Amino acid sequence: MTTIQKASSLQDDHLVILCSSVSALSRYGLGHAEIDHVRNNFEKTDRKLVLFTGTGRHVYVLKKDKKDNPWKTVELIRKAGASTCTMLNEHKIKAVTIADTDDRSEHLLALAEGIALANYQFLKYKKNPDKEKNSLVSVSIFSKSVKPSALSELTILSEATTLARTLVNEPVSWLSAQQLSKEFEKLGKDAGFRVEIFNKAKIESLKMGGLLAVNKGSKQPPTFTIMEYKHARARNKKPIVLVGKGVVYDTGGYNLKTGTGMETMKCDMAGAAAVGCTLYAIAKAKLPVHVIGLVPATDNRIDGDAYVAGDVLTMYDGTTVEMLNTDAEGRLILADALSWGEQYKPELVIDLATLTGAAVAAIGQHGIVSMGTAGDRVKNKLKTSGNATYERLAEMPFWEEYDEMIKSDIAEIKNIGGPYGGSITAGKFLAWFVKSPWMHFDIAGPAFLPARDGYRTKGGTGVGVRLLFDFLKNYSN
Ligand code: BES
Ligand code: ZN
Ligand code: ZN
């Protein structure tokens, strides 16, 4: 983890300066010639970065471009942080101080966030991790405006996001369903929230037919994890329930995926990681809320006893499901978790899942496909948090006509719709099992990236943690 703290003075530190006023650069020890050089670059070229390395200390001056919208400006700064992070590491710099000529707290925090998130690495399986390790370990913020509380919140949130990334990056050879539950237990101990794990026998006694069906082809037992964080003065009277898809590996089952489709399927528990790490973050930050996290977990594999297309399942709530594609497994395990969640009489349920290729086809990796039955107030608040964290939400239609597409001839519903609107029919399947106000976030696009994109590193992104944290922080009912 990159540490983030306040800088008491500037001294001879390596510096990154967010600059909207060139003349203000004299405050940071830049001479006339240097300032003129920056001015020439910023005013006469379209360069956004000027770098001084001559004097032993490195100074990076970043031009602060203002977008038409405050949250777009903030995102631009996060991205500038990410490119600066690459350069700092190329120059083998260990510690850097950041400043802003406007001394705007939200801009400095965004810069620090961009640097810290971009500096993440997953080196557990490298033979010589030290050789590949980034040099940068610490970011100090030189500012009067940044509050200590905002700083500790950023530290918690970056840590939680990178924890989620690591869980996603862990292969199933290590991260079985049981291991995932143990990781949640560790997070609970560390941050102070309650964790209860149901084992296979308990899941059988509860008749969670969806989770058990998907698990039939596996040598590893399923788990069902319940996490609970309750602040003494929670703003919500009834709990908010978060549900995360915990498919630790998705081969597709007998509807087997092909090579490239399967390659990244260790990411199929990204929803679960987001839920566990959100609980971690809100508990560490002691947000005044009451949140319950539910994670059904298993791998989806082939075996002599594995479930097959045509099977009819009886779910935890008694619904019969004609199971027509073993690769539509996520909705089966989520359905049981969603109907389990109803007993808490939640005021809001949100599930996160790498649920459909159709969501990726619809909007790619730059946003979250969203749909659900929550009211406009909640939807708007979620959208605002999505923009603020740049984990943006794209809402799909959720018309009742889609309900028809999952009706079954021989059971109540079936686990696939037609060839079109696949992310919506998946959502409709989930909706069958929830009566409370509910939102479904299909994170199949942004959960796992084939290449770095700004401060989102290659592989697991930890998507969902920053979004949910922001939403819960601003929650009131
Ligand atoms: N885990 C996949 C969805 C997925 C695709 C996640 C790409 C991340 C990236 C899910 O279980 C799945 O296989 N869905 C099927 C559903 C279909 C059989 C109705 C799909 O989208 O193809
Ligand atoms: Zn699948
Ligand atoms: Zn899946």
Side-chain angles (χ1 to χ4, degrees), residues 172-197:
V172 67
S173 52
W174 186 78
L175 194 76
S176 61
Q178 279 178 315
Q179 190 63 44
L180 180 63
S181 296
K182 277 189 206 154
E183 295 303 304
F184 291 143
E185 211 161 41
K186 284 189 221 162
L187 294 179
K189 283 215 177 84
D190 189 358
F193 61 86
R194 189 179 71 81
V195 180
E196 188 179 359
I197 303 168

Side-chain angles (χ1 to χ4, degrees), residues 207-253:
K207 300 199 173 80
M208 291 188 162
L211 180 54
L212 289 166
V214 177
N215 183 252
K216 268 177 90 183
S218 176
K219 287 222 160 65
Q220 309 277 341
T223 59
F224 188 85
T225 307
I226 302 171
M227 298 169 258
E228 181 172 24
Y229 164 72
K230 187 173 184 183
H231 191 278
R233 288 177 305 281
R235 283 200 206 113
N236 50 324
K237 291 272 168 319
K238 297 183 286 172
I240 295 168
V241 172
L242 305 177
V243 180
K245 172 176 172 181
V247 173
V248 287
Y249 198 83
D250 184 10
T251 69

Side-chain angles (χ1 to χ4, degrees), residues 331 356-359 361-362 371 396-397 401-406 414 416-428:
R331 63 198 76 181
T356 64
M371 63 199 81
M396 292 282 152
E401 283 76 4
Y402 295 104
D403 291 308
E404 297 308 308
M405 294 166 75
I406 57 162
K414 55 185 180 182
I416 48 172
Y420 304 118
S423 67
I424 302 170
T425 47
K428 282 294 185 182

Side-chain angles (χ1 to χ4, degrees), residues 245 247 250-253 255 257 265 268 300 307 325-330 354-355:
K245 172 176 172 181
V247 173
D250 184 10
T251 69
N255 292 96
K257 290 185 184 294
M265 280 303 131
D268 217 13
N300 180 24
Y307 74 153
N325 191 314
T326 60
D327 200 9
E329 84 297 339
T354 45
L355 203 62

Side-chain angles (χ1 to χ4, degrees), residues 358-392:
V360 193
I363 67 163
Q365 67 181 36
H366 293 294
I368 298 171
V369 165
S370 122
M371 63 199 81
T373 58
D376 285 342
R377 206 180 129 268
V378 164
K379 281 186 180 173
N380 287 332
K381 290 210 161 205
L382 283 164
K383 268 180 205 147
T384 304
S385 292
N387 291 340
T389 57
Y390 228 66
E391 296 187 344
R392 290 165 296 178

